């Protein structure tokens, strides 16, 4: 309401929003809560740490630094305050997107109808492919598992992800 009071009267906005005018003024004159004050000062300290570390530290490291300084604050609170302040730590890991589904093609059929149960060995096998990041190159690992024993029946690895990797 405060942001729009130049355009509309408080009385009209209170009537439209179904609030009492006196309630708005009471809220407006109320002093800042203890928690809001703590959040504001904590956000300022988080900004300082973020600048000191050249924007590299994320919530876990900032939380550890605050804890070392003697602050009693949770990691989730630090993460929330960072999110509100639009502070993001730097990640050096590349984001890999391994699956690119062609929207024109129909998806593969679900042959087991989401029933991953078997009464004995070698009755149901399931397969998956995953990306394993390494320092040199990413490695793709395709595996086949026996549902009954949950053991690997076969596997194949490659630095590229062609369809032949899964077939091997």
């Amino acid at each position: 309401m405060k942001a729009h009071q130049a355009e509309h009267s408080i009385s009209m906005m209170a009537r439209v929003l179904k609030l009492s005018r006196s309630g708005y003024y009471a809220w407006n004159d109320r002093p800042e809560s203890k928690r809001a004050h703590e959040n504001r000062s904590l956000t300022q300290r988080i900004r300082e740490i973020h600048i000191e570390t050249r924007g590299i530290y994320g919530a876990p490291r900032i939380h550890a630094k605050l804890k070392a300084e003697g602050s009693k604050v949770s990691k989730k609170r630090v993460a929330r305050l960072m999110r509100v302040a639009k502070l993001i730590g730097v990640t050096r890991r590349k984001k890999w997107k391994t699956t690119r589904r062609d929207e024109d093609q129909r998806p593969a059929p679900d042959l087991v109808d989401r029933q991953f149960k078997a009464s004995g060995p070698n009755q149901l096998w399931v397969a998956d492919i995953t990306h394993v990041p390494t320092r040199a190159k990413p490695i793709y690992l395709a595996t086949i598992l026996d549902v009954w024993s949950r053991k690997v029946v076969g596997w194949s690895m490659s630095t590229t992800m062609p369809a032949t990797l899964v077939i091997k």
Side-chain angles (χ1 to χ4, degrees), residues 118-138:
S119 58
N122 297 325
Q123 291 181 351
L124 179 61
W125 289 355
V126 292
D128 196 11
I129 187 167
T130 189
H131 166 264
V132 181
T134 63
R135 288 185 184 198
K137 287 184 178 179

Side-chain angles (χ1 to χ4, degrees), residues 52-70:
E52 287 170 16
T53 61
R54 296 172 310 193
I56 294 172
Y57 280 15
R61 284 183 171 174
I62 289 180
H63 172 256
K65 190 160 177 94
L66 288 169
K67 195 173 177 185
E69 292 174 355

Side-chain angles (χ1 to χ4, degrees), residues 48-144:
E48 291 168 5
I49 293 171
H50 199 256
I51 290 168
E52 287 170 16
T53 61
R54 296 172 310 193
I56 294 172
Y57 280 15
R61 284 183 171 174
I62 289 180
H63 172 256
K65 190 160 177 94
L66 288 169
K67 195 173 177 185
E69 292 174 355
S71 291
K72 292 186 177 183
V73 62
S74 73
K75 196 184 304 182
K76 288 187 177 185
R77 185 176 179 193
V78 171
R80 178 179 50 82
L81 292 174
M82 285 182 71
R83 194 169 41 252
V84 168
K86 294 184 175 39
L87 298 174
I88 301 169
V90 174
T91 180
R92 289 187 169 84
R93 294 182 187 147
K94 288 185 178 179
K95 301 211 185 235
W96 298 97
K97 188 171 182 182
T98 58
T99 304
R100 292 177 192 91
R101 185 172 174 267
D102 186 1
E103 296 296 326
D104 297 334
Q105 298 293 322
R106 66 178 182 79
D110 185 0
L111 300 176
V112 294
D113 197 28
R114 311 305 279 167
Q115 299 298 316
F116 300 106
K117 295 177 185 173
S119 58
N122 297 325
Q123 291 181 351
L124 179 61
W125 289 355
V126 292
D128 196 11
I129 187 167
T130 189
H131 166 264
V132 181
T134 63
R135 288 185 184 198
K137 287 184 178 179
I139 295 175
Y140 299 96
L141 172 66
T143 57
I144 300 174

